[in-house]
Each structure stands twice: as structure tokens, then as C-alpha cells.
């Protein structure tokens, strides 16, 4: 596994969390809509059991979101510690902004007051540094994936 592949896994996990949260919000909204509809109608007892089933399913969505968040937090803690071992603070800042904070390249360049070209140059050097320092870890990760 390359340094970029490893760090991109952290970045992608952030999107997995965001999608799980969006899905939870949509399901919650659907249940609330069902609940308000059932309150306005007088129908026999099956509505309440249907709503109970929906709340149980909602709880499962919530558990999924929590699980994905926990995974993201663990990944970020590990990646941050690994990035912190880079000797150059500017390289650390670029990797941190891109992979931990999930910033777009334009944002990274603007925040650091560098051109895109300079940010890409720093990023390339940072990835090389990361690969050198964490070669054994990245090699083990690659072997685990095969």
C-alpha cells in the first residue's frame, strides 16, 4: 500500500460517515412523517406496532453511524500520529489539511498562502517522507490486503 492509498482511506471514511448520517436523517424524517400521519388518523392498533418496528430500525441506523464514527476516529488518531512524525511542519500541515480535515486543494493552497503548484510539490515530498518513515507499516498493510 502506498502512503497516498493509506491516507486516502482515512479521507474516504469521512465520506462514509457523512453518507451514513444523511441516511439516518432521511429515515428519521420518514418515521416522523409516518408518526404525524398516524396521529391525525384514527385507525386500529397496527399503526403503533408499525411505528415501533420503524423505531427499532432507526436504532440500527443510529448504531451504524456510531460504528462508522468510531472507525473514523480510530483511523484519524493513527494517521495524525503518523503524520506528526514527518520532520517538516509544512509537509505535516498539507497532509493534515488534505487527509484529516478533508480539505479541497484550493482550500489548502489558500489557507497556506501557496500556489496550487507549490502545494502539490510539498504534497509529493510529504508522501515520499511518509513512505520512507512508515515503510514497514505500509508494507504490512499491503500484505494484509493481498
Amino acid at each position: 500500500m502506498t502512503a497516498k492509498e493509506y491516507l486516502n482511506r482515512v479521507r474516504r471514511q469521512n465520506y462514509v460517515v457523512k453518507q451514513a448520517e444523511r441516511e439516518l436523517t432521511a429515515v428519521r424524517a420518514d418515521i416522523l412523517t409516518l408518526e404525524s400521519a398516524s396521529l391525525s388518523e384514527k385507525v386500529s392498533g397496527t399503526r403503533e406496532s408499525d411505528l415501533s418496528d420503524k423505531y427499532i430500525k432507526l436504532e440500527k441506523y443510529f448504531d451504524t453511524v456510531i460504528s462508522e464514527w468510531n472507525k473514523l476516529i480510530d483511523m484519524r488518531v493513527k494517521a495524525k500520529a503518523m503524520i506528526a512524525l514527518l520532520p517538516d511542519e509544512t509537509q505535516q500541515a498539507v497532509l493534515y489539511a488534505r487527509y484529516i480535515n478533508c480539505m479541497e486543494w484550493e482550500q489548502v493552497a489558500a489557507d497556506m498562502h501557496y500556489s496550487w503548484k507549490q502545494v502539490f510539490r510539498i504534497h509529493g515530498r510529504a508522501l515520499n517522507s511518509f513512505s520512507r518513515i512508515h515503510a514497514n507499516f505500509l508494507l504490512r498493510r499491503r500484505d494484509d490486503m493481498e
Side-chain angles (χ1 to χ4, degrees), residues 35-42:
E35 188 176 79
S36 65
S38 71
L39 289 175
S40 66
E41 301 172 5
K42 281 197 166 188

Side-chain angles (χ1 to χ4, degrees), residues 11 14 76 95-103:
R11 186 175 164 82
N14 188 60
R76 279 183 175 170
L95 293 184
Y96 196 89
R98 179 68 179 170
Y99 299 106
I100 304 300
N101 291 334
C102 299
M103 293 170 67

Side-chain angles (χ1 to χ4, degrees), residues 48-109:
E48 282 185 30
S49 64
D50 287 349
L51 282 176
S52 296
D53 292 343
K54 301 289 188 248
Y55 278 111
I56 290 168
K57 289 179 182 179
L58 179 63
E59 197 64 34
K60 288 180 184 176
Y61 275 101
F62 184 72
D63 291 344
T64 300
V65 171
I66 295 299
S67 173
E68 294 299 339
W69 260 111
N70 288 337
K71 186 175 176 182
L72 175 61
I73 290 166
D74 291 345
M75 291 172 81
R76 279 183 175 170
V77 166
K78 177 106 175 129
K80 284 168 37 175
M82 294 172 79
I83 290 169
L85 294 175
L86 271 62
D88 185 292
E89 290 176 356
T90 304
Q91 291 177 6
Q92 289 178 21
V94 168
L95 293 184
Y96 196 89
R98 179 68 179 170
Y99 299 106
I100 304 300
N101 291 334
C102 299
M103 293 170 67
E104 298 298 325
W105 289 117
E106 301 87 8
Q107 291 175 285
V108 177

